Amino acid sequence: MKMKRAIIALSSVVLMTVNTGIQAQTEVPALQNVYARQSISLDGDWNYFVDQQEQGYYDYRMNPTPWGYFLNAKMQQPSDLIEYDFDTSPTMCVPGDWNTQSEQLFLYEGTVWMKRDFRYTPREGQRALLYFGAVNYEAIVFVNGKNIGRHVGGFTPFCYDVTDVLREGNNFVILKIDNKRHQDNVPTRNFDWWNYGGITRDVLLVSVPETYIEDYSLQIGKTMKGKKRTLNFTLALNRKAAGREVTLSIPELKLKQKFVTDAEGNINSQLYTPNSKLQLWSPETPKLYKVEIALGKETIEDEIGFRTIETRGRQLLLNGKPIFLRGVCVHEETAYSNRRCNNAEDADTLLKWARDMGCNFIRLAHYPHNEHAIREAERQGFLLWSEIPVYWTISWENAETYANAERQLTDMIRRDHNRAAVIIWSLANETPHSDARDHFLSRLAKTARGLDSTRLISMAMEVTGASNYVNRLHDNMNQYVDVVSFNQYVGWYRDVNDAPKMRWEIPYEKPVIISEFGGGAKAGLHGDKGQRWTEEFQENLYRENLAMLDKIEGLAGTCPWVLKDFRSPRRPLPGIQDLFNRKGLVSDQGQHKKAFYVLREWYEKKKQY
């Protein structure tokens, strides 16, 4: 991977002077491997209140007010008029969504203010970075009443250098959070999952040296030198600093090598390890090596796996050998409690269900999932498809929409490019064809390729040009992707009896993944296989679909939709859906539906691939 500094899109940073006396900070790139840095957690109870009309930010003429809630003002005398009080307001847990922590906010979309007090002790020669794992969707951040910045996008991390606005002792951070949907957002106004609002991932106050390691990448090279494999090592400091010595160590491989940064504060080099000693990461043996990277007094520890992923004709090759991806789609929603996932424990139950079904691959739908889940899946040996929420009908010709999508793509790749489990970066899902759409997505593809050439690129396409029982896949994006992936719902949006008659024409010499298929069932509802919503209907749909998919030439993997029933406001049918998408193979309460076992049996056969 060629190291590139993070793209900070203009659409995601606003410079404001209201009530601050200073210009707002711009974001600094979020740290690679933030959990290995010295930090204090700002997770826990945050005070909050709802501000539906945004009166804490605008006056009654809708102009930014100089007396907003971000000041955290207190009464100084009995005659003072202050119509809010964070300290006596209720609290909710961070990380967490507000929808499932307050019955009042279950369906709420709009502004909520949140505040956390904390103590800070300055350290000589150290900077303080305020890190957010994710906030959905727009976050305007204030520290001690000073405007720090604005971030747009609900699923990727962002970070500010707040050293100059902190004070020794007591401090407070306030966020104005707004999860209203808009046409020009990413995702756009219309999407088929729950719009969980809030600070949904960790908040950290990170201590770093004046000059620190901002990003690094350690990847297995594709070339050999004699009997040794190359490991490509790249690193970027937070600023231009030439001649800084960095030491990279992999103790188990007895590798220790020193490097020196160039004029840009970067390293782009290689080291070698005997091929016989290097154990490659795979689903069967998810080997991770302890890696240490030292700059001055700071040492960052990571666990990194080494593997190759490539294509050959219509085959997928993992570590040079053909592999069939036995996958399933997963939303970032917990088992049983149906809230937004935010830690490794939340992921464990979902991963167990996927493992019990025989999966070696998970499509993370339809947005980057939290870092804890990615690392947990990697430790357990799951290959991953990671996607940005360019979903359905994005504003293709809007420059700010594109900048937002590119920023989310950049942040997704930047955060997870050391995770061996991630093998596919996905650009979009079910997007209607047009010249504007092709231009938008092809630009994203080129960005992804420039940021990371070691992984495959794909997107979930739609089948077009169907004629009777012939489905033809034609998508101009075929030239930009490494893997051809498409969604199809024969049996749900088309008669299941058509499945045996279907013929697929996929005119691309590339591996094929069925990125979605399936149908809904209410767990525990039984009846004839022709009765929609019964487990028997879903069971028969899966049998017919799997027989149909077996006939597709170059089929390299499948990702049925979806592992678990999940919340969706688009699914109102009383007594059946009740605001859940019921296409899960497991119910929201953990009941395994009959189709679960059909897929497990089919995947058992595919293990022989």
Side-chain angles (χ1 to χ4, degrees), residues 40-43 46 94 130-132 199 201-205:
I40 61 172
S41 173
L42 298 186
D43 292 350
W46 287 53
V94 169
L130 183 58
Y131 172 92
F132 296 90
I199 305 174
R201 296 178 188 164
D202 295 327
V203 184
L204 302 173
L205 188 65

Side-chain angles (χ1 to χ4, degrees), residues 32-172:
Q32 170 67 209
N33 192 14
V34 68
Y35 295 104
R37 315 298 178 113
Q38 187 174 46
S39 66
I40 61 172
S41 173
L42 298 186
D43 292 350
D45 289 338
W46 287 53
N47 295 99
Y48 78 94
F49 49 81
V50 177
D51 185 14
Q52 190 176 34
Q53 295 192 9
E54 300 182 287
Q55 64 181 14
Y57 193 73
Y58 299 107
D59 65 19
Y60 73 112
R61 303 295 190 193
M62 292 306 293
N63 297 309
T65 175
W67 313 113
Y69 294 167
F70 44 82
L71 292 179
N72 192 26
K74 309 296 182 186
M75 289 183 62
Q76 302 300 313
Q77 54 191 10
S79 62
D80 287 347
L81 176 62
I82 299 176
E83 297 182 278
Y84 69 95
D85 187 348
F86 279 105
D87 295 340
T88 59
S89 295
T91 62
M92 70 171 59
C93 186
V94 169
D97 62 85
W98 65 53
N99 310 79
T100 57
Q101 295 192 69
S102 168
E103 185 177 352
Q104 177 190 24
L105 298 178
F106 181 62
L107 290 166
Y108 181 70
E109 293 184 333
T111 288
V112 172
W113 292 85
M114 299 187 68
K115 187 208 76 163
R116 171 70 191 262
D117 296 310
F118 64 96
R119 292 186 61 80
Y120 171 70
T121 302
R123 298 178 61 207
E124 186 176 355
Q126 296 285 300
R127 307 295 295 177
L129 306 184
L130 183 58
Y131 172 92
F132 296 90
V135 179
N136 191 38
Y137 174 77
E138 176 195 71
I140 302 179
V141 183
F142 303 87
V143 175
N144 295 331
K146 307 294 186 182
N147 176 241
I148 301 303
R150 171 178 175 261
H151 181 269
V152 177
F155 303 101
T156 50
F158 56 102
C159 198
Y160 300 103
D161 187 330
V162 295
T163 312
D164 297 334
V165 296
L166 293 179
R167 56 202 178 210
E168 186 168 6
N170 295 325
N171 295 262
F172 63 89

Side-chain angles (χ1 to χ4, degrees), residues 29 48 50 56 62 103 110 127 191 206 214 239 244 285 294 329 364 402 412 419 487-488 507 514 570 608:
Y48 78 94
V50 177
M62 292 306 293
E103 185 177 352
R127 307 295 295 177
F191 50 88
V206 187
E214 183 178 275
R239 62 187 182 89
R244 296 300 181 96
T285 56
C329 297
L364 303 174
Y402 177 80
M412 174 180 72
R419 306 280 66 83
N487 302 347
Q488 67 82 23
I514 310 302
R570 295 175 58 85
Q608 310 307 316

Side-chain angles (χ1 to χ4, degrees), residues 438-457:
D438 291 348
H439 179 66
F440 189 108
L441 294 182
S442 63
R443 290 177 66 192
L444 287 182
K446 292 173 183 175
T447 296
R449 194 81 68 189
L451 290 168
D452 183 5
S453 62
T454 71
R455 288 175 174 81
L456 307 177
I457 293 175

